[in-house]
Every structure is written in structure tokens, then in C-alpha cells.
Amino acid sequence: MGVTRSSVLRPVNGALTQAGNIVELFVDVARNTFKRPFQFREFIEQAWFIASVTILPTAMVAIPFGAVVSLQTGSLIKQLGAESFTGAASVLAVIQQGSPLVTALLVAGAAGSAVTADLGARTIREEIDAMEVLGINPVQRLVVPRVLAMVLVAILLNGLVSVVGIAGGYFFNVILQGGNPGAYLASFSAFAQLPDIWVGELKAAVFGVIAGVIAAYKGLHPKGGPKGVGDAVNQSVVITFLLLFFANLILTMVYLQIVPAKGS
């Protein structure tokens, strides 16, 4: 059929090469994080920019998300005759799974695409090459502040999504479904534990690192001029979304193995 072995292996080799380059950039970012001088001003500016473009969409998404989770779990648990456990199921679903993913998707979609476009524009204008000629490490100067800013904003937004999602779930369950507010809060305190909050923050931090590194890698390696920058933005968002779900699966499996459920 005209399909050769090289044509089949070429995409696989390209994917493996790109994965290796992303890991190499991650190691380079980790190493340059502790080098001085740290670009504190760049870090603050990027953190403010990322927060400004993500905080409102994150809050707006968190309200319907918490409502959907609460309504769905409340309806299902009501059919099972266990209304007293609605609060635990809804809140734990939001804290452990929902809020880190919502935060990461919005950070990757809004902030990650902006980082890719910014670095991609600098690359095609040969600003990155000029920095290297002048002896300035672009990873330390540009990439590290952006990755750390995305991690910081992701952690803070995760707390915002958790609070807004829980409040929205409480409102819709108690007001619309006629749930018992005392049972809602009591079931949460009976089954929730402090590591549930920590794992949500850990997930947000890991997702922020993944989104930042991939956005920076794609921004530093665009192909084909301005059109290549647009393609790099699309690719960074898609790749980040795929890796986020795999990372969430791995972190959840490890957490459930290490930290036993309360009361078990």
C-alpha cells in the first residue's frame, strides 16, 4: 500500500524526540531556578498577568461546576437512600479532582497560550538568539519566572475554585434539592481529612509546572514564522491537556495507595 517502515516510525521518533526535549527543558528549568540572580520582577509581572487573565474565568467556571457535581451526586445518592452522605461526596469530588483540573485547564488554556505566543514571537524575531549571543540564559531570564508564576497562580486559584465550588454545591443542594444543611456539613467533616486538601494543592502545583514547561518549550521552538507561532499555541494547549489527565490519574492512584480513607 506504499506504507514503508520509515513512514510509520517517523511520527513515533518525532514524538519521542519532543518528549525528551521537554524533559530536558524541565531539568534545565529546575536547575536554573536556584541560580542567581533570580528575576523577581519578571516573576511578579508574569504572576500578575496570569492571575488577571484567569481569575475571573476560573471563578465563573467554578460556580456551575460545583453545582453540577452537587446536583448529580445528590440525585444519585438520594436514589440510594444515603442523603446524609451528599456533602462528603460532593465536597471531596470538588477538592480532590474537580478544582485542580479546572484550575489547570484554565491556566493552560489562557496563561499557557499567552506564554507560548510571547516566547514564540520573541523567537521568530530572533530575540532569543540575541540573548544567547550576549551571554544571557533565556531559560533563566524568561522561562523560569513564567513557570514559577504559573505554579503560584495555579495553587492560589485551586483554593479559589475549591471555595467557590463548595459554596455553589452547598447552595444548590440545600436550596434547590431541599437537602439538610446540618447533614451536609456533618458528612463532610466525618469523611474529609487534611491530606485531601494537600493533594489538591499538590496537583495544582504539578499541573502548573507541566503547563508552564510545555508552553515555554513550544514558544521556544516555533516552526514556519508567524503561522508557526499560532500552530505552537494550539499544540501546547492540546499536549498540556493530555498530560494533565495522565498526571491526574497517576497522582490520584498514588494518593489513594499512600493515604487511607478516613474511617477505613
Side-chain angles (χ1 to χ4, degrees):
M1 300 293 294
V3 178
T4 62
R5 181 179 179 181
S6 61
S7 63
V8 174
L9 295 179
R10 190 179 301 112
V12 178
N13 293 334
L16 293 177
T17 302
Q18 185 170 233
N21 293 335
I22 293 174
V23 173
E24 182 181 3
L25 178 60
F26 169 75
V27 174
D28 201 10
V29 169
R31 184 172 59 250
N32 283 277
T33 299
F34 303 99
K35 285 186 177 182
R36 295 296 178 266
F38 179 73
Q39 303 297 325
F40 188 75
R41 180 176 180 179
E42 184 77 13
F43 167 73
I44 295 298
E45 291 178 351
Q46 292 300 318
W48 176 257
F49 168 73
I50 294 172
S52 65
V53 300
T54 56
I55 186 170
L56 182 59
T58 302
M60 297 301 294
V61 170
I63 296 174
F65 177 80
V68 168
V69 171
S70 178
L71 294 174
Q72 187 64 42
T73 55
S75 176
L76 179 61
I77 292 178
K78 189 174 183 180
Q79 294 178 8
L80 299 176
E83 292 90 343
S84 59
F85 300 106
T86 303
S90 301
V91 174
L92 289 178
V94 171
I95 292 178
Q96 289 188 14
Q97 304 296 330
S99 59
L101 281 177
V102 170
T103 300
L105 293 179
L106 288 172
V107 168
S113 59
V115 169
T116 303
D118 177 38
L119 294 179
R122 293 171 182 264
T123 302
I124 64 174
R125 292 198 302 263
E126 300 182 351
E127 292 183 17
I128 305 299
D129 296 336
M131 293 176 65
E132 293 177 347
V133 170
L134 293 174
I136 301 174
N137 188 349
V139 174
Q140 181 185 7
R141 179 65 179 82
L142 299 176
V143 177
V144 170
R146 285 163 171 77
V147 173
L148 294 182
M150 294 183 74
V151 173
L152 175 63
V153 174
I155 293 175
L156 297 179
L157 287 181
N158 180 69
L160 173 65
V161 174
S162 298
V163 172
V164 175
I166 293 172
Y170 176 86
F171 173 81
F172 281 92
N173 180 262
V174 174
I175 302 300
L176 297 184
Q177 292 184 316
N180 189 324
Y184 189 97
L185 298 177
S187 64
F188 167 64
S189 61
F191 288 93
Q193 51 187 338
L194 189 59
D196 295 329
I197 299 177
W198 291 124
V199 72
E201 296 292 346
L202 175 62
K203 285 183 177 181
V206 172
F207 296 163
V209 171
I210 293 175
V213 171
I214 293 178
Y217 173 78
K218 285 298 182 180
L220 293 174
H221 301 86
K223 298 179 180 179
K227 181 180 182 300
V229 175
D231 294 337
V233 171
N234 296 331
Q235 293 172 9
S236 67
V237 173
V238 173
I239 295 174
T240 302
F241 282 8
L242 293 176
L243 291 181
L244 289 180
F245 286 106
F246 279 108
N248 181 62
L249 173 63
I250 294 173
L251 291 174
T252 301
M253 293 175 61
V254 172
Y255 172 74
L256 294 178
Q257 293 296 323
I258 296 177
V259 180
K262 189 175 181 180
S264 61

